[in-house]
């Protein structure tokens, strides 16, 4: 992960323009964007993968409305910047959801220090306990039928198989999700029931709504009825992902081919985006457009991994042509394999039902590339017993 701190600036006050210029020159700080009113920056606030928001105010009281607007879009640390008389603001800010208040004029170094401090502090739960941070791996393609669900289900099954990683498969193809059926599971409870459950959404509650698969993974399936999809709001989804992150090592998110609100809320929290493409011209066109949208949303390119599904198909197009068209490298290749439709129809992921298949091996390799350190750790744990055996 890079050491650059990605910040977004909103609001205005005396000296804020000067501070912006100084921050733009500061190493380790990247200004992802700015807008005078927070609502004008909603897309970047949601999808920009920010580390921190600086909101400037010239009012002497707490800008509660602006803070609420920012909080509708993102949960990252928020620093208030003010100029002039601000004693009442400082008092009010004590009880507000802001990390710090900085009064201008201030030394740029002090502002950078405050940003670093706010973003480096370990995230804490409401109870004040530092929590574990699971990795959010989102499987997306702007085209239907490219293999998102097949890849998401098999990757989740591989990650949980050895019992080392607590893995959640989250089906965010909210209208027509079929992750559960591909795993042969008939769910009783879904994401719809979880987000609509009364009371606080916390890890204990999440455990009551997931279904365990025999591979060890937990699944939170899509709503049973398409019309229930819209009740899974961005705010609730954001909270769900935060809760899941505190409980699981890996959260694999299956998606639909759209950049809708829930997808933007997910992107904001995504550590790795598996962008699935295939060897056909319309899919390539849409993947190219999706890369443009991701750039517009300021999604960090370093978090994008291109997966070429059915990479070995003889359809008059080669991987290097895909790379030339997309201007990005293919990170993972997944072969076309009869084992896949066979396993889908059996409701058993190929990595379990046919682990020797080319498809299963490609998913194993993908998992290993994603979690290399853990693989090394596991190997180290096994080594002494091999030595004794030998
Ligand atoms: N590598 C592969 N080899 C053979 N068949 C494949 C492969 N990948 C996907 N398929 C087949 O393509 C079909 C569509 O795959 P999948 O449902 O995963 O796509 P999707 O992107 O999730 O589609 P949707 O957008 O409709 O959710 C599956 O039924 C599967 O059998
Ligand atoms: Mg699907």
């Amino acid at each position: 992960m890079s050491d650059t701190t990605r910040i977004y600036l909103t609001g205005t006050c005396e000296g804020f323009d000067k501070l912006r210029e100084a921050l733009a020159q500061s190493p380790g700080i990247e200004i992802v964007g700015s807008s005078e009113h927070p609502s004008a920056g909603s897309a970047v606030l949601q999808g920009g993968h920010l580390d921190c928001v600086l909101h400037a105010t010239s009012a002497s009281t707490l800008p509660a409305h602006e803070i609420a607007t920012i909080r509708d879009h993102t949960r990252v640390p928020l620093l208030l910047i003010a100029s002039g008389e601000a004693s009442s603001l400082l008092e009010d800010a004590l009880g507000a959801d802001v990390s710090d208040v900085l009064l201008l004029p201030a030394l740029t170094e002090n502002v950078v220090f405050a940003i670093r401090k706010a973003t480096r502090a370990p995230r804490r739960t409401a109870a004040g306990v530092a929590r574990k941070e699971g990795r959010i791996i989102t499987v997306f393609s702007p085209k239907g039928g490219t293999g998102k669900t097949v890849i998401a289900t098999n990757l989740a099954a591989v990650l949980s198989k050895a019992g080392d990683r607590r893995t959640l498969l989250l089906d965010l193809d909210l209208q027509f999700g079929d992750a559960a059926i591909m795993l042969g599971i008939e769910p009783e409870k879904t994401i719809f029931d979880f987000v609509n459950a009364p009371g606080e959404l916390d890890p204990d509650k999440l455990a009551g709504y997931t279904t365990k698969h025999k591979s060890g993974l937990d699944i939170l399936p899509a709503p049973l009825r398409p019309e229930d999809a819209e009740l899974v709001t961005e705010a609730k989804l954001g909270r769900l992902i935060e809760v899941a992150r505190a409980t699981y090592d890996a959260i694999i998110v299956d998606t639909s081919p759209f950049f809708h609100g829930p997808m933007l809320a997910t992107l904001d929290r995504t550590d790795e985006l598996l962008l699935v493409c295939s060897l056909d011209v319309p899919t390539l066109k849409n993947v190219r457009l999706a890369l443009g949208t991701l750039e517009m949303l300021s999604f960090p390119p370093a978090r994008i991994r291109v997966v070429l599904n059915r990479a070995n198909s003889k359809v008059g197009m080669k991987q290097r042509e895909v790379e030339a068209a997309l201007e990005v490298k293919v990170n993972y290749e997944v072969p076309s394999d009869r084992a896949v439709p066979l396993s889908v129809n059996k409701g058993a992921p190929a990595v379990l039902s046919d682990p020797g298949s080319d498809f299963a091996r490609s998913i194993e390799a993908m998992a290993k590339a994603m979690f290399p350190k853990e693989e090394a750790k596991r190997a180290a744990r096994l080594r002494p017993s091999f030595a004794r055996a030998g």
Side-chain angles (χ1 to χ4, degrees), residues 145 147-150 171 173 176-179 182 254-256:
K148 295 180 290 294
T149 306
V150 158
D171 193 347
D173 184 352
F176 298 105
D178 38 25
M182 279 204 196
D254 188 17
T255 62
S256 66

Side-chain angles (χ1 to χ4, degrees), residues 38-49:
S39 59
S42 57
V44 177
L45 286 171
Q46 269 172 31
H49 230 290

Side-chain angles (χ1 to χ4, degrees), residues 135 137 154-160 165 252 272 274 332 351 360-375 378:
R135 234 153 95 186
I137 299 167
N154 279 278
L155 181 60
V158 165
L159 290 176
S160 57
R165 275 176 231 100
I252 311 296
E272 248 162 283
L274 299 184
Y332 302 111
V351 290
R361 284 168 199 267
S362 74
I363 301 292
E364 291 269 3
M366 190 188 285
K368 220 173 229 165
M370 283 179 183
F371 290 85
K373 284 199 199 110
E374 290 181 35
E375 300 304 328
R378 194 183 312 158

Side-chain angles (χ1 to χ4, degrees), residues 29 144 157 159 191 203 228 328 333 341 376:
I29 299 282
L159 290 176
I191 187 171
D228 289 342
V328 290
E333 288 169 58

Side-chain angles (χ1 to χ4, degrees), residues 2 11 47 57 79 153 167 197 199 211 246 249 254 313 328 351 368 373:
S2 96
T57 178
L79 298 185
T153 48
T167 307
T211 305
D249 300 310
D254 188 17
S313 302
V328 290
V351 290
K368 220 173 229 165
K373 284 199 199 110

Side-chain angles (χ1 to χ4, degrees), residues 153-212:
T153 48
N154 279 278
L155 181 60
V158 165
L159 290 176
S160 57
K161 199 169 64 164
D164 276 6
R165 275 176 231 100
R166 299 205 57 199
T167 307
L168 177 70
L169 176 61
L170 187 58
D171 193 347
L172 286 192
D173 184 352
L174 294 170
Q175 281 200 299
F176 298 105
D178 38 25
I181 206 169
M182 279 204 196
L183 292 171
I185 286 174
E186 270 187 51
E188 281 174 16
K189 291 179 179 164
T190 72
I191 187 171
F192 169 78
D193 304 302
F194 175 68
V195 297
N196 287 296
E200 173 76 356
L201 301 181
D202 58 28
D204 283 344
K205 183 167 288 169
L206 178 58
Y209 286 84
T210 55
T211 305
K212 195 161 272 314

